[in-house]
Every structure is written in structure tokens, then in C-alpha cells.
Amino acid sequence: QVQFVESGGGLVQPGGSLRISCVASGFRFSAFAMSWYRQAPGKERQLVASITVAGTTNYADSVKGRFTVSRENFKNTVYLRMNILQSEDTAVYYCKRTNYEDNWGQGTQVTVSS
């Protein structure tokens, strides 16, 4: 059974940083590209960042230069390092396999506010 457990969210001031994590299970993690998504209140879920098996990364324009996605295959974990956070980054963040219709995890709430 494919599962994702996101963690590390919280309340952070504008301009601050946070690193969130996602532990995956139920499949061979090292063989799949992974993606981070977010959903802000009243908005549709959007793709934020992706990382391929080889470690190639891609980002939404809104986070490019501020966010960094990485992975540790031996921990079945994908990370999202978020710098220079803005109020517009407030959302619930989720991970899943890229281009797969996996069930969503519970997500981790990131709130950027002073």
C-alpha cells in the first residue's frame, strides 16, 4: 500500500525558512520521481517542485530560487527546503510520486505570518 507521511510544517515569519519532509512507503522509492504540491485555502492544489530518480529538479516559477527539493533514497524521504517564505506560501503541503494517481497523505500545514 502506497503511503506518504508529511511533517515539519509550522508557523514561520515572512522571510523565514522551513524544511518539510515526506516519508514514503509501499513502493521502491529510489525508482520513482517525486513531487511536492501545495493547496492554499480556497485554491486548487498546485505543483511546487519535482525531483527525478537522477536528481534533476524542477520548480514552479513562484518558488524558483527560494525552494530546494532533495531526496535521501536510503530513508525513503523527500525534502523541501523553503527560504524567504512569503504569506503566499501559506498552504498545506503534500508529496507523492510524479505522474501517479496516488492517494494523498494528510499533508503538513505551513503558515507564513507575522
Side-chain angles (χ1 to χ4, degrees):
Q1 182 181 358
V2 174
Q3 288 187 322
F4 305 99
V5 179
E6 301 90 349
S7 64
L11 174 64
V12 61
Q13 291 188 342
S17 298
L18 203 61
R19 189 182 78 160
I20 57 177
S21 304
C22 168
V23 178
S25 61
F27 62 97
R28 192 159 64 95
F29 181 80
S30 61
F32 291 87
M34 295 294 297
S35 291
W36 281 99
Y37 297 78
R38 69 185 180 187
Q39 187 167 23
K43 295 188 177 181
E44 291 188 356
R45 195 157 6 214
Q46 63 171 169
L47 176 64
V48 175
S50 297
I51 183 166
T52 67
V53 170
T56 301
T57 57
N58 284 286
Y59 301 93
D61 286 344
S62 58
V63 306
K64 204 170 291 184
R66 300 188 298 121
F67 288 13
T68 302
V69 58
S70 60
R71 62 192 297 162
E72 287 190 308
N73 288 338
F74 69 100
K75 290 184 177 180
N76 285 5
T77 301
V78 60
Y79 304 97
L80 188 66
R81 175 71 178 181
M82 303 178 289
N83 295 327
I84 318 175
L85 281 161
Q86 305 165 354
S87 57
E88 303 80 59
D89 297 317
T90 295
V92 180
Y93 285 72
Y94 305 86
C95 76
K96 72 176 187 71
R97 292 182 293 181
T98 304
N99 295 328
Y100 277 79
E101 294 299 321
D102 294 319
N103 291 328
W104 297 101
Q106 85 287 350
T108 187
Q109 174 72 49
V110 173
T111 303
V112 184
S113 175
S114 55

